[in-house]
Amino acid sequence: MGHNYSIDSNRRGRAGSPGSTAARTGDAAQAPGGFFPPLATSTALAAELRIRIARGDWIEGEKMPSVRRLSEDTGLHRLTVYKAYGLLKEEGLIESREKSGYYLTVSRQPVETGFGSIRRPRTAAGSNQEPADTEPVLPALLGELHSVDCRYQFSQALIDPLLLPNSYLAEEAKRVFDLYPRVLGTYAPLQGDEELLVALRRYLSETCSFVPEGQELLVTGGAQEAIHLVCEALVRPGDAVLIEQPSYSIAIEVFKHRNARLVPVDLHPDGYRLDELEALMRRHRPVLFYLNPTFHNPTGRCVPAEQRKHLTDLAEKYGCILVEDDAFRDVYFGSPPPPPVYGYDTAGNTIYVRSFSKYIFPGLRIGCLAARSDLMRRLLTAKARSIGGTPLLNQKVFTHHFQSERSRRHLHKLRTALQLRKEAMETALEGSGWNWHSPSGGLSLWIELPEGIDSSRLLADALAGGPNNDETVSFVPGTFFDPLGRPDRHIRLSYSLLNERRIAEGVALLREYAERQLGQ
């Protein structure tokens, strides 16, 4: 069973206890109280506290450790601790009470209609105004946000079902039952149906310039299951995990649930700063680096080919596993993207995660991962402990469509349709003063809002839907994609679900809500 590490020794395990990270490793020994050195600055301490708040080490209204106690446990000067608490106070995460100390203010109670924690929109820093009780509570998890019924749905990076060949799939499913009449009477092999594995090897050879050998390929229920398996097989509570800033929200949630120690890696317009990345690997000795280098979610950026080779060199040097999430490779506009990082790896330090759920019948939930034999053994063990094999019927239906000429023609048409929708959204945003990078692939725009617009407040207004509560718009605020949950002026707008007319209407309405906020 895993351990949680906290400075509160009355409720959680202390550093140095049997099974703790400090007892297991020499490179990343913990300071007294369970904190990971070096925490030389108030900013670093605040980041560590944000992680612990996000994973629920304290509940709403609970008193935080005193400045004196935290100073003793971390070895930091009391002034440094005081400044760290000041940063959290400015963000609205904690409050100070005279002669009493600091208390957590973040709500951790689920709402009756939801299935997780909630966020209430915060007022601007320094304001004495509190959100009214009538204001909507905001979903705290991406899945909750996707469940909100909206007239203009920009939060889901999901293909419009009208763009998929649904009638053809129905006929293909009938054909599968004729070919395999006992398909529902048996389980699939743990590693995947052999017919699908052969098709996937052929596809990867043609499009990705590598061929997984022997037992190096595993069929999964989409990328999300693959990430869960990686986390289950490789990450222990307290382990350092490098993750891009910003990054895929679901992956952030998976690693946090495992109580991993997330270390953000900045993603720049031209990729990574490799010297900064090496410094993080040297300092934190991470077990893995989760990355999405091709049409990155949420920014849409693509890491240059020359950096991909250097990533594998760094991984080998520091013993760090690269987990490459490549969900959007086939959704490009113009030229195909660079080859995957996995193809440059000669030492076996990369796990390649691939999902086809975004554009080949999402309901089938088919993905795969590739890894060398030593890693694959651990991943297969994790798979066996979870759901076992991926449903055989889904694999058979997917295989027969995936390797057909019709599938190739469909994908070509789909790219054209998505590019037109992206251009429609960019046209609707012209003159707004909002900034974005125009991606050459993927399903979304990553937009920076102007000063004075709070993304959480904008989402609250957009979900409320105006005077008649019927003009609702959803999108994903940038804080969902921050590994440390910090406020962010960015938002993600997905253009894949609505047609061009409805995109124009929804963006115009969202701009109206933003203008009202600026005018208040």
Side-chain angles (χ1 to χ4, degrees), residues 253-307:
E253 294 168 16
V254 169
F255 291 122
K256 281 185 175 180
H257 184 73
R258 189 66 169 171
N259 283 335
R261 181 166 52 96
L262 299 185
V263 180
V265 176
D266 289 333
L267 182 65
H268 302 275
D270 57 349
Y272 310 110
R273 300 286 187 267
L274 293 176
D275 56 341
E276 295 176 1
L277 178 59
E278 181 170 12
L280 291 174
M281 287 187 177
R282 184 187 308 114
R283 175 181 175 184
H284 296 280
R285 298 291 174 173
V287 294
L288 61 85
F289 175 21
Y290 171 79
L291 64 158
N292 178 204
T294 304
F295 308 133
H296 175 264
N297 182 16
T299 68
R301 300 191 183 279
C302 211
V303 173
E306 58 270 19
Q307 289 192 18

Side-chain angles (χ1 to χ4, degrees), residues 21-141:
T21 300
R24 291 195 310 263
T25 65
D27 291 327
Q30 288 174 286
F35 281 84
F36 290 83
L39 292 175
T41 67
S42 57
T43 302
L45 176 58
E48 177 83 3
L49 290 169
R50 285 191 203 97
I51 294 174
R52 292 163 184 267
I53 290 171
R55 75 186 187 192
D57 279 13
W58 301 281
I59 62 174
E60 181 183 12
E62 185 176 356
K63 186 177 182 180
M64 301 290 288
S66 68
V67 171
R68 179 188 60 79
R69 172 70 180 277
L70 201 51
S71 173
E72 292 174 352
D73 284 344
T74 61
L76 298 175
H77 193 279
R78 292 189 185 185
L79 181 59
T80 303
V81 176
Y82 179 79
K83 289 180 178 179
Y85 272 156
L87 293 173
L88 300 183
K89 183 179 176 182
E90 289 178 4
E91 296 169 13
L93 294 176
I94 63 175
E95 65 179 5
S96 60
R97 300 178 187 175
E98 188 175 0
K99 297 182 179 180
S100 180
Y102 293 91
Y103 291 78
L104 188 67
T105 59
V106 177
S107 175
R108 289 285 156 196
Q109 302 301 319
V111 292
E112 293 182 2
T113 57
F115 53 84
S117 56
I118 60 175
R119 288 192 182 98
R120 287 190 180 274
R122 296 196 187 98
T123 55
S127 172
N128 293 322
Q129 180 183 359
E130 293 293 334
D133 291 337
T134 57
E135 291 187 75
V137 294
L138 300 183
L141 300 178

Side-chain angles (χ1 to χ4, degrees), residues 207 293-295 302 308 326 328-332 334-340 440:
T207 64
T294 304
F295 308 133
C302 211
R308 299 179 182 226
D326 204 11
F328 302 100
R329 167 163 296 275
D330 282 335
V331 186
Y332 58 84
S335 301
S440 56

Side-chain angles (χ1 to χ4, degrees), residues 188-265:
L190 180 63
Q191 196 134 7
D193 180 62
E194 185 58 32
E195 188 178 14
L196 175 54
L197 290 171
V198 169
L200 288 172
R201 291 189 188 100
R202 184 186 308 117
Y203 163 81
L204 292 172
S205 173
E206 293 172 354
T207 64
C208 298
S209 302
F210 69 84
V211 183
E213 299 178 0
Q215 303 297 306
E216 291 182 10
L217 201 60
L218 169 65
V219 177
T220 66
Q224 189 168 333
E225 190 205 2
I227 297 168
H228 273 281
L229 294 177
V230 167
C231 196
E232 176 71 20
L234 302 179
V235 181
R236 296 172 296 185
D239 280 344
V241 169
L242 298 186
I243 189 166
E244 292 162 327
Q245 159 57 33
S247 188
Y248 177 37
S249 178
I250 298 298
I252 294 173
E253 294 168 16
V254 169
F255 291 122
K256 281 185 175 180
H257 184 73
R258 189 66 169 171
N259 283 335
R261 181 166 52 96
L262 299 185
V263 180
V265 176

